[in-house]
Amino acid sequence: MTPESFIAAKASEAIKAIYGADVEASTLQVGVTRKEFEGDFTLVTFPLLRITRQSPDATGAAIGEWLVANCPEINAFNSVKGFLNLSLSNLYWSKVFEAMANDADFGQLPSTGRRVMVEFSSPNTNKPLHLGHVRNNLLGSAVSDLLKAAGEEVIKTTLVNDRGVHICKSMYAWQKRFNGATPESTGKKGDHLVGDCYVEYAKMEKENPSVLDDVHRMLVDWEAGDKEVRDLWQRMNQWVFDGFDQTYKALGISFDKTYYEHDTYLLGKELVQEGLRKGVFVQDPDGSVWCDLTSDGLDRKIVQRSDGTSVYITQDLGTAERRFAENNLDSHVYVVGNEQDYHFQVLKLILAKLGFDWASRIYHLSYGMVELPEGKMKSREGTVVDADDLIEKMYEEAKATSEESGKLAEMSEEEKDRLYHMIGLGALKYFILKVDPKKTMLFDPKESIDFNGNTGPFIQYTHARICSILRKSGVQDGVPHKETVAARGLVNGGDPSGSLGGMKRSGSFRCGSSVQLSQKEIRLVKILNSYPQKVGEAAAAYSPAVIANYCYDLAKEFNQYYHETQILKEPDQDVLGMRLKLIGTVAGVLRKAMNILGIELPERM
RNA sequence: GGUUCCGUAGCUCAGCUGGAUAGAGCAACAGCCUUCUAAGCUGUGGGUCACGCGUUCGAAUCGCGUCGGAAUCACCA
């Protein structure tokens, strides 16, 4: 039960007792008290005036008095202009703190029993990944982990667009102009080499438009299964896959299931027939098949060409049907840019018309473009921000900043390398994920991604700082949370409280009765305690940005606490124990939350 | 032209299921390291929440309209 719902329930009782009226607790408005007022939570009394028939202040005073008299958890109140501010007791917060600090699964919401597939990345195999793909990949991966934290069973998937005219274009240019060049012979990453072919093809077509006919012939040969064409296709695709794997690995992205378009591009043809039988589709005299969506405010949409071949959406119809059936899905999330809003609107509509009840449980996570100061990225103008370059640049940036700070003297080269990667990637991921997915976001290549302020490194730094204090407190094993500790092979997986070695030496920790929390500590407990709610909110909105901003709020609050409290100087062992447990919990929640974003937190930096 | 999304400080972004005096970061300026990591903390300046009308006790938040920006409306994917 959240503090808000607790207060609402008590306030409901108060209203019943004082005014004899029944007010559903869930209809009461309880919010966090603004920091310029005294109190923890605020009940808005305006909506109650019709029942109480008193002024806002009198209403607030009456309810406040009743609550303080009848609820030991509520300490004090003040009523200001229709806002009843209530203070919860230290005992209440101590109990809340104790409960979450001892809960190893804190922040993991109970299972919903639902299975959801998340499709993201879905690259073309004719050019390397760029910043736009990076946003897609990071969002897809983070949303998957977010949904897991919210209790869903998640299957991460991607649909590789590995066939079609665009692929043939790269193949054609390679045959004509690359003299048998390979990633090995050129030392070039495979996806970049193939990308070069694609660029070269554009030039060729400009010089001589008739090359397009050759490319079309190549596509026909491919469809006919011509051995030579298929071999080349396979070979060049493999180069690209190897390149992608490297980039995915650097980004920390993985999939549970990979679909290839050459396997799925014929799917949906039966659905076209079925649609015709059901009268959902109509056939024009030239043989093309259409779905008339004009009565839904959209246009007519073609689902099969006059030559009998299928179009983009046909395959998506078939793939969706297959996926729901094969995986017994409850829902399906597609992480695809907002330029395809119309496509998904049409897709859902057609599936609904075909009678699939799951059509309404398809969710298009439509994210905004990443733009440069001068507008969209354009490959023709060479303004595309390459993913590999960017990752490399972030690494270098992290390295330079770390070396400047000079705090890593005793670290091995290998550890440093891992750390720079962690920080560089943390900065990049946070930069992208902290922005509301649906918004267009701006990236300025001239100004590198910041490491100060509301950034990934800021949160990583906060975590390293906490770890440093815990180390100095006598906690030998570093961080008192089993997942990280065990993952690093530092201890043999003992229970989380057991790894709090220092805690035992500093006396048994009893929250509540003996230890008084300071105002700052209560603020930290409040923010920590709201974490599960944030996970729920973020998942409902499919927005990792909610988690990112939560992490920032928590880290900032901790840093303020850190600066005004000498944690280790505390002589009272009970208070010291409480503080260590508190900051350990902060570190643990930061870790869980940032892991949802795919960001790791170092113990030193 | 139709549809959808967006417009908050100089810049990048929070806040949007209606609540009190709209918040951060960057940039600028002024402070804080013999004390647990200064990638930090504190302070100053900076706003017609694009504009108008409406709903409401109360609107950055909801509705309608206007202006500005983006995407999309292919027998491309």
Side-chain angles (χ1 to χ4, degrees), chain A residues 247-367:
Chain A
T247 308
Y248 284 140
K249 197 164 172 234
L251 282 173
I253 303 286
S254 66
F255 303 98
D256 302 313
K257 212 164 200 173
T258 301
Y259 291 86
Y260 296 92
E261 202 180 293
H262 75 266
D263 278 334
T264 62
Y265 80 107
L266 294 175
L267 287 179
K269 291 208 161 211
E270 321 82 68
L271 282 179
V272 171
Q273 295 312 312
E274 191 180 327
L276 278 171
R277 275 200 306 281
K278 287 183 176 170
V280 175
F281 301 149
V282 293
Q283 190 150 31
D284 274 8
D286 66 359
S288 56
V289 181
W290 300 76
C291 188
D292 188 352
L293 302 170
T294 49
S295 59
D296 299 283
L298 304 175
D299 299 316
R300 256 165 59 103
K301 180 74 190 175
I302 191 160
V303 294
Q304 190 171 95
R305 297 190 186 96
S306 50
D307 64 6
T309 59
S310 52
V311 292
Y312 177 50
I313 199 161
T314 320
Q315 132 172 238
D316 261 4
L317 293 168
T319 305
E321 185 196 24
R322 179 191 267 192
R323 285 182 183 173
F324 268 89
E326 280 182 358
N327 300 289
N328 194 21
L329 301 180
D330 293 290
S331 63
H332 195 327
V333 176
Y334 289 88
V335 182
V336 178
N338 62 13
E339 55 202 346
Q340 294 199 38
D341 284 356
Y342 184 78
H343 172 76
F344 280 96
Q345 213 183 331
V346 170
L347 184 76
K348 288 185 65 167
L349 199 49
I350 293 180
L351 287 169
K353 281 178 186 290
L354 286 171
F356 297 114
D357 63 328
W358 43 260
S360 61
R361 297 197 301 274
I362 286 177
Y363 181 77
H364 174 206
L365 174 45
S366 162
Y367 65 90

Side-chain angles (χ1 to χ4, degrees), chain A residues 310-556:
Chain A
S310 52
V311 292
Y312 177 50
I313 199 161
T314 320
Q315 132 172 238
D316 261 4
L317 293 168
T319 305
E321 185 196 24
R322 179 191 267 192
R323 285 182 183 173
F324 268 89
E326 280 182 358
N327 300 289
N328 194 21
L329 301 180
D330 293 290
S331 63
H332 195 327
V333 176
Y334 289 88
V335 182
V336 178
N338 62 13
E339 55 202 346
Q340 294 199 38
D341 284 356
Y342 184 78
H343 172 76
F344 280 96
Q345 213 183 331
V346 170
L347 184 76
K348 288 185 65 167
L349 199 49
I350 293 180
L351 287 169
K353 281 178 186 290
L354 286 171
F356 297 114
D357 63 328
W358 43 260
S360 61
R361 297 197 301 274
I362 286 177
Y363 181 77
H364 174 206
L365 174 45
S366 162
Y367 65 90
M369 300 288 102
V370 183
E371 289 189 351
L372 304 173
E374 60 271 22
K376 276 189 80 170
M377 291 188 283
K378 295 202 175 86
S379 46
R380 247 178 300 142
E381 291 164 27
T383 56
V384 173
V385 178
D386 179 75
D388 297 315
D389 288 351
L390 184 57
I391 293 166
E392 175 65 19
K393 192 176 157 195
M394 295 310 299
Y395 174 95
E396 293 301 333
E397 204 84 30
K399 185 177 178 180
T401 307
S402 295
E403 282 172 350
E404 202 178 314
S405 78
K407 291 174 190 160
L408 307 172
E410 73 277 26
M411 234 183 230
S412 72
E413 288 307 311
E414 199 190 327
E415 282 174 316
K416 283 185 194 169
D417 181 71
R418 267 219 318 267
L419 180 65
Y420 301 154
H421 193 255
M422 202 188 280
I423 296 171
L425 213 58
L428 173 59
K429 289 184 175 183
Y430 191 89
F431 175 81
I432 286 175
L433 291 173
K434 77 170 174 186
V435 180
D436 184 335
K438 67 172 187 281
K439 289 196 173 178
T440 303
M441 64 176 291
L442 190 119
F443 174 80
D444 189 345
K446 289 194 290 293
E447 292 174 27
S448 56
I449 293 175
D450 223 308
F451 284 13
N452 299 317
N454 186 359
T455 66
F458 168 84
I459 294 161
Q460 291 173 318
Y461 182 77
T462 304
H463 181 262
R465 210 177 214 185
I466 294 172
C467 291
S468 172
I469 298 171
L470 291 175
R471 272 195 303 274
K472 293 195 171 152
S473 74
V475 177
Q476 302 294 328
D477 300 333
V479 188
H481 271 257
K482 69 176 173 191
E483 65 268 28
T484 313
V485 175
R488 287 162 197 275
L490 294 173
V491 296
N492 46 4
D495 73 286
S497 54
S499 64
L500 263 171
M503 216 57 76
K504 286 170 184 157
R505 275 192 288 285
S506 60
S508 64
F509 166 55
R510 301 182 309 278
C511 279
S513 52
S514 59
V515 179
Q516 196 75 13
L517 299 171
S518 71
Q519 281 309 303
K520 269 287 177 202
E521 284 157 355
I522 288 176
R523 283 186 62 83
L524 277 172
V525 170
K526 263 191 239 179
I527 297 175
L528 287 168
N529 187 51
S530 68
Y531 177 58
Q533 264 172 277
K534 289 287 173 186
V535 170
E537 272 174 42
Y542 297 92
S543 176
V546 172
I547 299 295
N549 287 305
Y550 170 82
C551 289
Y552 179 65
D553 289 341
L554 178 56
K556 191 163 176 59

